[in-house]
Amino acid sequence: MRIVFLGPPGSGKGTQAQRLQEELEIAHLSTGEMLRDADHAGTPLGREAARHMQAGQLVPDEVVVGVVADRLSEKDCERGCLFDGFPRTVPQAEALDKMLAERKIPLNLVLALDVPTERLVDRLLARGRMDDNRETIHERFRQYDRLTEPLLDYYRRRGILCMIDGEGTPDEVFSRIRRAVDTAIR
Ligand code: AP5
């Protein structure tokens, strides 16, 4: 099973992907986490990524695609994986298609979390991560609208997009996701 989690900043991608990973026992690939780990490790890639992340901008496609390609080659991805925060641009989606086609594995489902913007801002300000301040949040939403939202149509055309109401408690959202996954598996 290969599943992509799409959604604006704060929509619950990480929270829900973590839960689904535990249930399906497949790998969880969060590009945000991978880039933050590289930053904490002080690698050149991490330092470059941090500059973009602190400004609320996307890290260049070729950097992120390289990180995902390396991770996909690891053993635990053979059973399946959840892509959390990747792809975020049409070129990234095309690169993912290519990587999966080379491995002769399909992308089964794209779960798009839908939450009103004002709720998202409250969630992010309450969390207070390094990039959760008003100015950076505003830029992250701008990047989402401009570069990531077109992916909804990209995957809708492929017939694998499932919109999920992301409001309510994490448990409520998870039961909607579980139903969507069960339907896709059947
Ligand atoms: P990333 O780490 O992916 O951040 P994001 O997309 O902005 O998403 P968040 O982590 O803020 O939110 P989320 O949707 O995962 O929600 P979460 O579960 O955490 O990326 C960070 C940066 O890295 C990007 O800005 C970019 O620079 C770079 N990057 C990453 N991937 C990239 C890519 N592919 N290409 C280029 N650049 C890339 O929840 C948020 C908060 O809400 C938490 O506190 C949580 O506890 C709470 N919460 C969750 N669900 C609920 C609920 N149902 N009710 C109430 N609170 C909730």
Side-chain angles (χ1 to χ4, degrees):
M1 193 84 183
R2 270 93 200 160
I3 301 176
V4 164
F5 276 86
L6 266 185
S11 56
K13 302 182 293 296
T15 304
Q16 298 298 333
Q18 178 67 40
R19 287 178 173 219
L20 195 58
Q21 179 215 8
E22 285 159 18
E23 198 146 311
L24 300 180
E25 296 182 344
I26 58 179
H28 173 191
L29 276 64
S30 160
T31 42
E33 283 299 315
M34 290 190 259
L35 296 168
R36 278 186 289 277
D37 286 348
D39 176 30
H40 294 147
T43 64
L45 183 148
R47 282 198 296 274
E48 187 196 344
R51 279 203 309 278
H52 297 281
M53 294 164 86
Q54 275 160 9
Q57 285 164 4
L58 295 189
V59 174
D61 288 337
E62 60 277 16
V63 174
V64 182
V65 168
V67 168
V68 172
D70 288 348
R71 181 69 183 85
L72 255 187
S73 304
E74 289 176 29
K75 186 94 187 126
D76 64 327
C77 292
E78 283 173 13
R79 276 175 56 86
C81 38
L82 302 174
F83 297 97
D84 160 9
F86 179 86
R88 274 187 213 230
T89 63
V90 170
Q92 289 183 20
E94 290 168 348
L96 178 62
D97 286 345
K98 194 159 166 265
M99 286 187 255
L100 295 179
E102 280 164 7
R103 291 168 172 77
K104 297 187 173 38
I105 44 180
L107 179 60
N108 307 91
L109 183 63
V110 176
L111 297 166
L113 293 168
D114 188 25
V115 183
T117 307
E118 56 279 13
R119 289 274 147 71
L120 298 175
V121 175
D122 291 344
R123 284 186 191 179
L124 294 172
L125 289 175
R127 178 177 61 184
R129 201 171 68 193
M130 163 266 276
D131 53 347
D132 290 336
N133 56 74
R134 280 195 189 277
E135 198 183 324
T136 309
I137 290 171
H138 177 75
E139 182 58 23
R140 284 159 66 196
F141 282 124
R142 221 176 61 84
Q143 300 266 316
Y144 177 82
D145 292 345
R146 200 164 63 86
L147 297 167
T148 310
E149 211 176 49
L151 292 181
L152 296 178
D153 272 342
Y154 183 92
Y155 288 122
R156 192 176 284 119
R157 282 197 296 273
R158 297 258 293 268
I160 55 172
L161 179 74
C162 182
M163 296 300 296
I164 301 285
D165 175 3
E167 281 200 89
T169 65
D171 283 348
E172 285 165 345
V173 178
F174 188 65
S175 59
R176 292 174 202 136
I177 287 176
R178 204 66 195 86
R179 276 199 299 277
V181 171
D182 287 345
T183 307
I185 289 174
R186 250 186 259 132

